[in-house]
Amino acid sequence: MSQTIQVPSICEFMNRHLVDVFETMLSMKSVPASSENLPQFEDKVTGSVAFAGDRINGAVYLHLGTAFAGQVAGAMLGLPAEELGEPEVNDVVGEVTNMLTGGLKSWLCDSGAECAVSTPAIIRGSSFMIEPVPDVDREWLVFDCCENRIAVEIHVKVS
Amino acid sequence: MATKILSVDDSRTIRLIVGKAFRPYDATVIEASNGEEGLAVAAREKPDLIILDVTMPVMDGVTMLTKLKEDPALKAIPVIMLTAESGRENVLQIARLGVRDYLVKPFKEDQLIEKAGRCVTLEKRPAAAPAA
């Protein structure tokens, strides 16, 4: 099956998929919110996974506030957040980003856009922005979850 | 004797979740963080079941599965793929290699136990006696 991949369809898929990943793995209910006002994190943990194929290239970035990233890690591992160190939190955020991008990869492959994914990487900090390279679309998705906000940044170039 | 389960995943998180899922059962979970390490541990420990990720550094899960199935001493060990990738072609390619089952992340622990229970015997650990 080969069809034209539309960026809005990618966003629709990711809106559904993030809710599913957070519900299934973390028992956390998340709801898509407006992306007009992007969350401003004082400190954040960002997971990234790239995808690349003949017809499509890009990356998914999952941004979580540092304290909420600890809560997410605690929920995933069934441990109190205060017992977890940076390595554990980083690994969980990387794994959640991997699940998000792995689901997107499967959806893209089933839509005729075969691609491969990278292993996850983590960035921590307070004042960084990720600039897309020229000709790449950047989409933002925002979610409300347990009185916190989640931001997903998708960079995508469809050939 | 406890059922021996090998979890091969580059994510420590997933290895911890797999270990936690089998804790109520008479099972020992051993770990490896990539396919190369997984093959070495499988050869040494002869697990009853392997739970295997696909995308990993050093050696990916598909390569490890291929090598496992080429090894007369290891090819009978059942393998469950545990991966975030569920595309049709991907699943078919892996099915052709002789995988026993396939579980897509995100997953619930009881889904993993159900699939593992179809491959090996899983007996609940006796409840701990209350302290005197």
Side-chain angles (χ1 to χ4, degrees), chain B residues 20-123:
Chain B
K20 185 157 68 79
F22 286 101
R23 209 169 291 150
Y25 298 90
D26 188 19
T28 305
V29 178
I30 50 179
E31 299 181 358
S33 60
N34 62 61
E36 191 175 279
E37 208 180 290
L39 278 174
V41 176
R44 191 177 66 236
E45 298 285 341
K46 301 286 191 305
D48 301 298
L49 172 67
I50 298 174
I51 297 170
L52 180 59
D53 186 19
V54 173
T55 305
M56 294 182 287
V58 185
M59 181 190 287
D60 67 25
V62 174
T63 307
M64 178 182 159
L65 181 62
T66 305
K67 289 180 181 290
L68 198 78
K69 293 300 174 188
E70 288 168 355
D71 186 331
L74 304 177
K75 67 180 183 183
I77 301 171
V79 176
I80 297 175
M81 301 305 287
L82 177 58
T83 172
E85 300 165 29
S86 63
R88 275 187 294 274
E89 285 302 318
N90 200 35
V91 175
L92 284 172
Q93 184 204 356
I94 290 168
R96 281 187 215 110
L97 293 173
V99 73
R100 183 68 69 89
D101 214 331
Y102 204 99
L103 182 57
V104 178
K105 302 171 190 173
F107 65 100
K108 293 274 188 199
E109 287 176 16
D110 50 8
Q111 291 175 299
L112 176 61
I113 295 299
E114 186 200 333
K115 286 182 185 287
R118 290 188 205 149
C119 302
V120 292
T121 303
L122 286 177
E123 288 181 2

Side-chain angles (χ1 to χ4, degrees), chain A:
Chain A
M1 182 174 58
S2 182
Q3 52 194 255
T4 306
I5 304 294
Q6 305 286 343
V7 173
S9 312
I10 292 174
C11 294
E12 278 172 31
F13 170 81
M14 200 54 105
N15 262 326
R16 292 192 306 272
H17 189 48
L18 183 138
V19 171
D20 181 33
V21 168
F22 272 67
E23 173 68 36
T24 305
M25 295 306 300
L26 309 166
S27 300
M28 286 181 164
K29 189 170 171 54
S30 55
V31 180
S34 166
S35 57
E36 280 181 16
N37 295 311
L38 294 174
Q40 303 295 317
F41 299 110
E42 276 188 25
D43 289 297
K44 64 183 172 183
V45 184
T46 297
S48 70
V49 173
F51 53 93
D54 290 340
R55 296 178 55 204
I56 196 157
N57 284 286
V60 173
Y61 300 89
L62 171 68
H63 303 282
L64 303 174
T66 302
F68 184 52
Q71 278 184 50
V72 166
M76 181 84 108
L77 300 174
L79 294 168
E82 55 274 16
E83 284 184 17
L84 302 173
E86 269 191 24
E88 289 81 16
V89 175
N90 289 352
D91 200 72
V92 168
V93 174
E95 188 52 40
V96 174
T97 314
N98 183 49
M99 288 181 198
L100 292 174
T101 316
L104 177 62
K105 177 204 166 174
S106 304
W107 182 84
L108 290 169
C109 290
D110 287 347
S111 303
E114 289 286 330
C115 58
V117 293
S118 71
T119 50
I122 293 291
I123 312 166
R124 277 178 174 260
S126 54
S127 58
F128 63 87
M129 286 285 291
I130 298 154
E131 286 299 326
V133 293
D135 301 327
V136 169
D137 287 323
R138 169 162 57 188
E139 298 292 331
W140 284 97
L141 306 174
V142 176
F143 301 82
D144 291 321
C145 180
C146 305
E147 299 178 354
N148 289 277
R149 304 201 92 192
I150 300 165
V152 174
E153 184 178 351
I154 303 171
H155 294 192
V156 61
K157 181 178 183 180
V158 182
S159 305

